[in-house]
């Protein structure tokens, strides 16, 4: 362990390794403390629990990804209704690339969220994004109806499956650490695929 690091930095480094290897549920706080060479009592001077330690590692990154996606939906919804069909997917496309680049800059932390967070409040990132996307889809359907371009009623189960699959497809790039250039190309292809599919389903 690098002694030039602060104690807090050493705790974070050891915790990150333990969580990435075993996941939150099976990670041992005792192992983390032992690998840093400190007592459990000394550790509790920094964090009150394993959960608080995990949150210190991933909390800001979880919030960034979720807020980035929510902002994209809000920005789209704030556009004049007549303009929305013309740029459908453009704002969310920018957001997807922003999230991709952020995830690659904070790869370990994002992998903790995506792969190792079961048992914490951070395990629901995709579920939260799906809820936001479903709400935005329904709002867009109302816009289309106002514009005289109504879309067919979507089956809720199918809608949920398609949207969930879209996010899992996107985050697979991060989980498998695709080379960034390849990942960027995959996002472009994925966006083209899903945009065309949704336009077909919505009768546009």
């Amino acid at each position: 362990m690098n002694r030039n690091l602060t104690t807090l930095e050493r705790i974070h480094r050891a915790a990150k390794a333990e969580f990435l290897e075993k996941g939150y549920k099976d990670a041992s706080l005792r192992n983390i403390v032992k690998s840093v060479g400190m007592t459990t009592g000394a550790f509790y001077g920094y964090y009150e629990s394993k959960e608080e330690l995990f949150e210190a590692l991933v909390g800001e990154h979880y919030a960034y990804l979720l807020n980035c996606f929510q902002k994209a939906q809000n920005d789209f919804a704030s556009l004049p209704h007549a303009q929305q069909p013309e740029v459908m997917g453009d704002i969310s496309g920018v957001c997807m690339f922003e999230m991709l680049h952020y995830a690659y800059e904070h790869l370990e932390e994002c992998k903790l969220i995506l792969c190792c967070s079961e048992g914490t409040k951070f395990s629901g990132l995709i579920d939260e994004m799906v809820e936001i996307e479903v709400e935005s889809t329904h709002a867009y359907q109302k816009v289309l109806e106002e514009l005289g371009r109504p879309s067919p009623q979507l089956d809720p189960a199918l809608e949920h499956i398609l949207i969930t699959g879209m996010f899992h497809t996107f985050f697979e790039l991060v989980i498998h650490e695709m080379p960034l250039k390849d990942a960027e190309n995959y996002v472009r292809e994925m966006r083209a695929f899903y945009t065309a599919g949704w336009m077909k389903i919505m009768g546009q």
Side-chain angles (χ1 to χ4, degrees), residues 104-170:
Y104 272 68
E105 290 168 8
H106 306 89
L107 191 58
E108 289 184 331
E109 291 81 2
C110 289
K111 288 186 74 171
L112 285 175
I113 295 169
L114 296 168
C115 306
C116 310
S117 61
E118 184 181 354
T120 77
K121 62 185 178 182
F122 302 104
S123 63
L125 178 64
I126 289 178
D127 291 336
E128 289 198 59
M129 288 185 167
V130 168
E131 286 185 21
I132 293 169
E133 180 71 13
V134 167
E135 289 180 10
S136 298
T137 300
H138 294 172
Y140 182 58
Q141 285 183 294
K142 291 180 181 178
V143 168
L144 290 174
E145 188 170 354
E146 289 175 15
L147 296 173
R149 300 166 55 179
S151 64
Q153 182 69 33
L154 296 177
D155 179 89
L158 177 61
E159 179 183 37
H160 188 272
I161 289 168
L162 290 174
I163 293 173
T164 301
M166 178 183 71
F167 285 113
H168 278 292
T169 300
F170 173 76

